[in-house]
Amino acid sequence: MPDTGGVLNAEIVAWLKRPGEQVEEEEALCLVAWGGQRAEITAPARGVLRMIAVGAGKTVAAGNSLALIDIGVRALGGPPSPVPPPRHDPPTPPEPTELRPPPTPRFPRAGVDVSPDRNIIV
């Protein structure tokens, strides 16, 4: 809940939006009450209301989260989002390569040939 100038706790009176609904910046989300006063809590940004963290009838302390707004997306049937969805292109398959046996390791200083047809005991 936003800091309301000295108010420590407020009760959520009612939610004006439901999860999954599009919200606009500064649009009223819920009504809160404290000490005989009432106020609207507005959306800080445009997006989709994803989750309500504090239900109606519950008390919340100033500074605590009330809800989650997913910015950059839109509700079904709502206006288009200004953020395009990420592209997921399929990966390009690697070029086929000719399969060759690994090179035969040689130790020229010792004069040892470790070809597959020789057994070496060290």
Side-chain angles (χ1 to χ4, degrees):
M1 185 177 90
D3 186 359
T4 53
V7 175
L8 300 178
N9 295 306
E11 179 186 348
I12 305 295
V13 175
W15 280 95
L16 306 174
K17 290 294 202 171
R18 294 177 189 236
E21 289 185 327
Q22 181 80 31
V23 297
E24 298 298 324
E25 186 173 358
E26 299 299 319
E27 184 177 7
L29 295 175
C30 66
L31 298 173
V32 296
W34 71 95
Q37 302 288 323
R38 285 185 173 227
E40 290 181 344
I41 302 297
T42 60
R46 179 177 183 260
V48 174
L49 181 63
R50 287 290 177 214
M51 180 187 78
I52 293 174
V54 180
K58 303 287 183 183
T59 300
V60 63
N64 286 356
S65 297
L66 297 177
L68 173 68
I69 297 174
D70 193 355
I71 60 172
V73 297
R74 62 184 175 92
L76 294 177
S81 172
V83 178
R87 289 184 54 189
H88 296 289
D89 294 331
T92 305
E95 292 293 323
T97 59
E98 181 182 337
L99 297 176
R100 297 182 193 173
T104 303
R106 300 194 181 267
F107 301 96
R109 282 191 283 157
V112 178
D113 182 2
V114 289
S115 298
D117 58 335
R118 298 188 188 232
N119 295 322
I120 299 175
I121 299 173
V122 179

